Amino acid sequence: MKLEIYADVLCPWCYIGKRRLTAALAQHVGRDRVEIIWRSYELAPEEGRIPGPTAAEAMAGWWGEQAPARIARIRSLGAADGLELNLHLARPVNTFDAHRLVKLAADRGQADQMMELLLHGYHTEGLNVADAQVLQRLGGEAGLDGDEVRAVLAGDDYAEQVRADRRRAAKHGVTGVPSLMIDGRPPVSGVQPVVDLHRLLEHGPTGSDPAADTAEGTAWTS
């Protein structure tokens, strides 16, 4: 089985979805035969490298009076899956280099660990995941060679792969994250309950369930 996951570091739903997918895969009888491919999906490519307002502040601007309740819900759902989503610390930045680092990690068999560290660093620790020094440190924690990480960040390696994922997402109708594609089938939401994700892994999508139609996971804010 080939499982393609479209995600962005800025998206709290992607962190929740990753944790739930990990639980679903642990129950899957064919988990050793699942090929996981992390696909880049930049939610805010216009963001710069210098952090500005927090995610919570941005959400308050979008949602107004509904913001406190919606933020509380995101944090509660994350906590239920063992995650600490500190939206008052996370500050959206450009994630292009973070995605390039995941591509390097994929070539070294460490993509899942790299994504975990990026998501935790951003959502829990409030790290600037556009900062080269932060990315170098996280790359080292993921087991990547320091010289390779520095070379990638100093150049444009894997840039075309990130852009290719953007085109691939448009081609396959991916309009929000996290989105899953199983064996090339149409994308479905990647932030479903564990039991539903496990059912997808066992039997595949049973109907039209595009990620963009879900109430959760269609943006880094939901």
Side-chain angles (χ1 to χ4, degrees):
M1 176 188 294
K2 183 167 77 171
L3 181 59
E4 299 172 75
I5 311 170
Y6 286 86
D8 191 32
V9 180
L10 301 185
C11 175
W13 297 112
C14 289
Y15 203 4
I16 294 171
K18 183 179 185 297
R19 186 56 55 91
R20 292 179 180 179
L21 181 61
T22 297
L25 282 167
Q27 303 172 18
H28 181 46
V29 293
R31 58 185 176 276
D32 294 335
R33 299 187 300 275
V34 177
E35 177 189 8
I36 297 177
I37 301 174
W38 287 96
R39 297 289 186 192
S40 308
Y41 193 101
E42 298 172 86
L43 286 171
E46 74 287 348
E47 289 282 357
R49 298 175 184 274
I50 300 175
T54 67
E57 289 169 340
M59 292 172 182
W62 299 334
W63 296 333
E65 294 180 356
Q66 296 181 359
R70 297 184 73 169
I71 290 171
R73 181 168 183 269
I74 292 172
R75 296 195 65 183
S76 175
L77 288 172
D81 286 298
L83 304 177
E84 183 180 343
L85 301 177
N86 293 322
L87 302 178
H88 62 292
L89 297 179
R91 296 178 183 270
V93 288
N94 188 285
T95 56
F96 190 77
D97 283 347
H99 284 298
R100 293 199 299 129
L101 192 57
V102 174
K103 295 299 186 186
L104 169 63
D107 279 351
R108 303 296 179 265
Q110 298 292 337
D112 191 80
Q113 177 69 357
M114 191 72 255
M115 278 299 301
E116 181 69 27
L117 288 167
L118 286 165
L119 289 164
H120 182 272
Y122 176 76
H123 291 288
T124 301
E125 300 180 55
L127 298 182
N128 178 0
V129 292
D131 182 85
Q133 291 186 342
V134 171
L135 293 176
Q136 287 170 17
R137 176 168 67 82
L138 295 179
E141 291 177 9
L144 301 181
D145 179 82
D147 290 338
E148 281 194 315
V149 172
R150 282 187 288 273
V152 166
L153 295 176
D156 61 359
D157 291 354
Y158 300 102
E160 181 51 35
Q161 290 190 28
V162 173
R163 297 186 185 105
D165 280 353
R166 186 186 306 160
R167 296 191 293 270
R168 184 179 179 87
K171 176 183 177 181
H172 290 286
V174 175
T175 58
V177 290
S179 288
L180 306 180
M181 289 182 61
I182 300 176
D183 289 334
R185 297 187 179 107
V188 297
S189 170
V191 72
Q192 302 180 48
V194 172
V195 63
D196 292 333
L197 289 172
H198 180 249
R199 186 180 301 115
L200 278 173
L201 294 172
E202 295 294 331
H203 306 293
T206 57
S208 176
D209 181 24
D213 287 348
T214 71
E216 299 175 350
T218 57
W220 65 267
T221 59
S222 173

